[in-house]
Amino acid sequence: MTYEIEIGRGKRGRRAYSLDDIAIVPNRRTRDPKDVSVSWQIDAYKFDMPVIAAPMDSAMSPQTAIALGRLGGLGVLDLEGLWTRYEDPQPILDEIGALEDETNSPAVTGRMQELYKAPIQPELITSRLAEIREAGVTVAGSLTPQRTQEHYKTVVAAGVDIFVIRGTTVSAEHVSKDDEPLNLKQFIYELDVPVIVGGAAGYTPALHLMRTGAAGVLVGFGGGATTTTRRALGIHSPMASAISDVAAARRDYMDESGGRYVHVIADGGMGSSGDIVKAIAMGADAVMLGSALARAEEAPGKGWHWGQEAHHLELPRGDRANVGTVGPLEEVLFGPGHHTNGTSNLIGALRRSMATTGYSDLKEFQRVDVVVSPYSGN
């Protein structure tokens, strides 16, 4: 069976689906939402909900990472962000929030580029991670592949529990004439902590990342509320198909490796509870959230949201977006919800969807029936 369609006489392409293109179908059984488990485990670390915070300055500070950890999720701090460049980043965060309210503003982008030129201070990496560790929650920090070789020893020495290598796209076979690329397989083998790596956008790149020994693979490319990668680079991977492809790679890698399970983590384009539900239905074990958590009152961006792409020094491909504020972090995750658009009580919505379709845990829910929806709406 082939899913390729003819785009023109000289090009064929595979039809891919976004999360908006699919819908979940109820089954013959329903459950009480209180009987549903949404816990998950990666390596030795168990969490009460399948939520990982995206390492973005607008969503995560050491304090919000601690708050999320106490609520049962995993906060990941961007170790190349403002918290490791400035002793007191609050005035910088306030300035970014006060910049002119205009999309695609060169002035806003230019100022953000200037603010992020400050050097990363290794001692701040150590102190920020120590602050999270002292709170007694799981400690996770993120570096891009370009900065991993430079700073990973500092990160590991600081006592990180889970190491995240996150880029727009990460491959196990990066080629460069000028620089020695990061050897992911050797790097992961030599570390004593589990590594989550990505993003990957399809079956083959995900399979190669799994073969490096990664504990988890991030799925996504060019999605999310703030990225303009699709417009700037012409590259995009619709999430429903991408998650399904990487879940298939997980299945085949289990056979290849004799049973080693690599977690699939959907990353990007999940701003509402329905998106989270459908990501897990397509095969994700957990989701990495940015804008959904940036709406919490505790978020450092105070309703503004941006990613690393927004201040790239050479090719910025992201906007600073006003996502607004919904309520306290606990309300965003567990309710009670006061919004009808899927931006509050995210975990309550996941529980109810699982209960409505009759599944008792996340692994079971990955088997739920889905259809390709012929409409785009509520």
Side-chain angles (χ1 to χ4, degrees), residues 202-331:
Y203 175 93
T204 299
L207 185 60
H208 284 215
L209 289 178
M210 291 173 185
R211 288 170 178 164
T212 67
V217 171
L218 300 171
V219 185
F221 188 102
T226 64
T227 63
T228 60
T229 300
R230 184 173 185 172
R231 295 201 302 269
L233 300 184
I235 303 175
H236 178 64
S237 181
M239 280 296 284
S241 294
I243 296 168
S244 179
D245 286 346
V246 177
R250 175 184 61 200
R251 176 199 63 210
D252 293 348
Y253 179 68
M254 283 187 67
D255 292 339
E256 174 187 305
S257 63
R260 183 174 181 272
Y261 190 90
V262 179
H263 295 268
V264 173
I265 301 162
D267 178 13
M270 286 167 293
S272 69
S273 54
D275 297 325
I276 297 169
V277 170
K278 289 188 279 188
I280 293 174
M282 294 306 297
D285 297 292
V287 295
M288 179 170 272
L289 302 180
S291 62
L293 300 181
R295 298 188 184 104
E297 290 177 358
E298 299 91 328
K302 303 300 180 186
W304 288 98
H305 184 46
W306 63 91
Q308 288 181 323
E309 303 90 349
H311 51 79
H312 192 282
L313 291 178
E314 297 175 0
L315 184 61
R317 50 192 184 278
D319 293 325
R320 185 198 55 148
N322 190 348
V323 297
T325 300
V326 167
L329 181 61
E330 187 169 3
E331 180 180 314

Side-chain angles (χ1 to χ4, degrees), residues 67-81:
L68 181 60
R70 288 173 174 167
L71 290 171
L74 176 63
V76 183
L77 192 66
D78 179 9
L79 301 179
E80 300 174 34

Side-chain angles (χ1 to χ4, degrees), residues 319-366:
D319 293 325
R320 185 198 55 148
N322 190 348
V323 297
T325 300
V326 167
L329 181 61
E330 187 169 3
E331 180 180 314
V332 170
L333 291 168
F334 298 112
H338 305 293
H339 302 76
T340 60
N341 59 357
T343 58
S344 62
N345 199 2
L346 304 178
I347 302 304
L350 174 60
R351 284 182 175 275
R352 185 165 295 277
S353 291
M354 293 171 63
T356 299
T357 51
Y359 294 93
S360 60
D361 60 40
L362 297 174
K363 289 306 299 179
E364 284 189 1
F365 189 57
Q366 291 173 350

Side-chain angles (χ1 to χ4, degrees), residues 1-342:
M1 179 181 292
T2 178
Y3 295 95
E4 286 193 343
I5 60 174
E6 186 178 278
I7 299 170
R9 293 191 179 187
K11 201 74 170 180
R12 298 179 68 85
R14 188 167 68 99
R15 178 72 169 91
Y17 298 96
S18 70
L19 294 174
D20 285 338
D21 293 326
I22 66 164
I24 292 168
V25 181
N27 211 323
R28 62 183 177 85
R29 178 183 293 139
T30 57
R31 294 183 184 273
D32 189 318
K34 295 191 296 290
D35 297 333
V36 169
S37 171
V38 294
S39 65
W40 79 295
Q41 182 169 334
I42 182 167
D43 203 84
Y45 302 97
K46 187 172 183 178
F47 302 94
D48 294 335
M49 58 178 168
V51 171
I52 302 175
M56 305 170 84
D57 283 338
S58 53
M60 278 293 107
S61 67
Q63 284 302 311
T64 48
I66 291 168
L68 181 60
R70 288 173 174 167
L71 290 171
L74 176 63
V76 183
L77 192 66
D78 179 9
L79 301 179
E80 300 174 34
L82 298 174
W83 293 93
T84 60
R85 296 175 190 263
Y86 297 92
E87 185 71 39
D88 179 12
Q90 193 56 54
I92 310 301
L93 290 162
D94 293 342
E95 179 179 347
I96 292 175
L99 293 172
E100 62 179 295
D101 185 3
E102 181 184 344
T103 304
N104 301 325
S105 167
V108 170
T109 300
R111 182 57 181 152
M112 291 181 69
Q113 289 171 320
E114 291 176 4
L115 293 171
Y116 277 90
K117 279 183 180 179
I120 296 170
Q121 302 180 46
E123 62 273 16
L124 287 179
I125 292 178
T126 300
S127 64
R128 303 306 188 196
L129 294 177
E131 182 179 350
I132 300 172
R133 175 166 294 284
E134 287 169 6
V137 301
T138 304
V139 183
S142 175
L143 292 172
T144 60
Q146 295 83 358
R147 297 291 186 101
T148 295
Q149 291 279 31
E150 182 181 357
H151 295 294
Y152 83 90
K153 291 182 180 178
T154 302
V155 176
V156 173
V160 72
D161 295 315
I162 297 176
F163 193 105
V164 179
I165 302 175
R166 182 177 186 257
T168 305
T169 185
V170 178
S171 77
E173 298 181 11
H174 181 68
V175 179
S176 174
K177 292 181 179 179
D178 301 320
D179 301 312
E180 183 68 26
L182 174 66
N183 185 326
L184 272 176
K185 189 169 186 177
Q186 179 181 348
F187 176 79
I188 292 173
Y189 176 78
E190 293 176 352
L191 281 187
D192 291 329
V193 299
V195 176
I196 297 173
V197 61
Y203 175 93
T204 299
L207 185 60
H208 284 215
L209 289 178
M210 291 173 185
R211 288 170 178 164
T212 67
V217 171
L218 300 171
V219 185
F221 188 102
T226 64
T227 63
T228 60
T229 300
R230 184 173 185 172
R231 295 201 302 269
L233 300 184
I235 303 175
H236 178 64
S237 181
M239 280 296 284
S241 294
I243 296 168
S244 179
D245 286 346
V246 177
R250 175 184 61 200
R251 176 199 63 210
D252 293 348
Y253 179 68
M254 283 187 67
D255 292 339
E256 174 187 305
S257 63
R260 183 174 181 272
Y261 190 90
V262 179
H263 295 268
V264 173
I265 301 162
D267 178 13
M270 286 167 293
S272 69
S273 54
D275 297 325
I276 297 169
V277 170
K278 289 188 279 188
I280 293 174
M282 294 306 297
D285 297 292
V287 295
M288 179 170 272
L289 302 180
S291 62
L293 300 181
R295 298 188 184 104
E297 290 177 358
E298 299 91 328
K302 303 300 180 186
W304 288 98
H305 184 46
W306 63 91
Q308 288 181 323
E309 303 90 349
H311 51 79
H312 192 282
L313 291 178
E314 297 175 0
L315 184 61
R317 50 192 184 278
D319 293 325
R320 185 198 55 148
N322 190 348
V323 297
T325 300
V326 167
L329 181 61
E330 187 169 3
E331 180 180 314
V332 170
L333 291 168
F334 298 112
H338 305 293
H339 302 76
T340 60
N341 59 357

